[in-house]
Amino acid sequence: MEKVILSNEEYMELLSKKPDFDGSEGNLYKVGSRLYKLYHNPYSYSDIRLEEIISFQPKIKHTQLPLGAIYFNTQFIGAVLHPFDAASFETIFTRPLPFKIQKLKELSRNLQELTKQNLILDDLFQDNIVITKEEEVQIIDIDGNNCHHLKSPEQLQILLKQFRTLILECCIPGFTFLDINKIKHKVITAPQLSYDLLAKLLKDFERNPIISQYQKTIK
């Protein structure tokens, strides 16, 4: 794990700049070939937890995990991230349906890879997914308190519901947040998507052995 120890001068210089990105957890600054994320409330985060997440990188191919930790006066204050030349996930919403389906399958693959290591996210939203200039799907914002060990069926239910919502947002023009349970057994009367397609994508995701184990518990 990389460790960046900021001097008082370096820290004050960062704070004097306008952030390159404003995040809900912290501000992000481009520094050379790295992205520094300085947490708004660093006392809510753990460098031990961050180091544990980073340790999974050799086993994870399709998601770039954080690179290291940032300290100031021995206090852990942020994370070193890989800067992506990327666009928001929302940019694929206007692309042809086959392209969107392919990107959703890639997202499913990435989630499966994480869950195989017993890692699960609790905020799988548009803002935490990007499309790189190579048109690859990347899940971001895995440095904070949104990445956990997969321990319970409830965690899986949250992730599956968020994944369903992403599929609908991506494939149905004008879709806004709905109660997924209300449309579970209905065909979605939209130009581009049916419940059969939604079910197929979810089946691909749920084929993961760890997810299957928890699905049995849920049922």
Side-chain angles (χ1 to χ4, degrees):
M1 180 178 80
E2 295 181 14
K3 291 187 178 181
V4 174
I5 302 175
L6 296 176
S7 66
N8 184 68
E9 182 180 354
E10 290 170 327
Y11 181 61
M12 297 308 296
E13 182 181 356
L14 275 180
L15 294 185
S16 68
K17 294 180 179 178
K18 180 180 179 182
D20 291 284
F21 305 98
D22 296 319
S24 59
E25 293 184 325
N27 293 330
L28 292 93
Y29 304 85
K30 289 182 180 179
V31 180
S33 62
R34 296 291 186 260
L35 195 63
Y36 287 6
K37 181 176 182 179
L38 302 186
Y39 297 126
H40 296 313
N41 184 12
Y43 295 101
S44 299
Y45 301 89
S46 165
D47 56 345
I48 296 175
R49 176 64 180 139
L50 178 63
E51 185 171 7
E52 182 183 13
I53 292 172
I54 293 172
S55 70
F56 286 98
Q57 187 66 83
K59 299 178 182 179
I60 295 175
K61 177 182 178 182
H62 299 291
T63 299
Q64 176 66 60
L65 300 179
L67 298 170
I70 303 173
Y71 299 87
F72 174 64
N73 285 342
T74 71
Q75 170 65 44
F76 170 59
I77 62 169
V80 182
L81 308 177
H82 181 84
F84 292 107
D85 185 359
S88 69
F89 186 70
E90 189 177 0
T91 59
I92 76 168
F93 289 8
T94 56
R95 301 288 292 273
L97 182 60
F99 180 83
K100 292 191 282 191
I101 297 303
Q102 180 58 39
K103 296 303 117 181
L104 288 166
K105 286 182 177 180
E106 289 177 17
L107 175 59
S108 173
R109 173 203 64 196
N110 295 0
L111 291 169
Q112 288 185 47
E113 189 177 52
L114 290 170
T115 55
K116 283 178 181 177
Q117 303 304 323
N118 277 335
L119 295 176
I120 191 165
L121 307 178
D122 64 9
D123 63 348
L124 185 68
F125 304 120
Q126 291 181 35
D127 290 347
N128 293 333
I129 307 167
V130 297
I131 305 295
T132 69
K133 65 178 182 179
E134 295 82 16
E135 295 194 330
E136 297 176 347
V137 175
Q138 270 289 335
I139 302 170
I140 60 172
D141 202 24
I142 307 182
D143 58 286
N145 295 330
N146 64 327
C147 184
H148 311 276
H149 287 297
L150 178 55
K151 295 179 179 179
S152 72
E154 289 75 24
Q155 290 174 294
L156 179 62
Q157 286 177 320
I158 292 171
L159 179 62
L160 290 177
K161 186 168 184 177
Q162 291 173 349
F163 186 46
R164 292 185 184 106
T165 302
L166 272 174
I167 293 172
L168 295 172
E169 288 175 332
C170 182
C171 296
I172 299 182
F175 174 84
T176 54
F177 186 81
L178 297 173
D179 180 358
I180 301 300
N181 295 324
K182 291 180 180 178
I183 60 174
K184 185 174 181 180
H185 301 295
K186 298 179 181 178
V187 172
I188 301 169
T189 56
Q192 294 186 315
L193 185 69
S194 69
Y195 173 68
D196 289 341
L197 179 57
L198 172 62
K200 185 177 184 303
L201 284 167
L202 288 172
K203 186 176 181 180
D204 288 341
F205 178 46
E206 293 165 2
R207 191 176 293 125
N208 180 301
I210 293 176
I211 290 180
S212 299
Q213 169 193 342
Y214 280 98
Q215 284 288 67
K216 292 177 183 176
T217 307
I218 293 172
K219 292 175 182 178

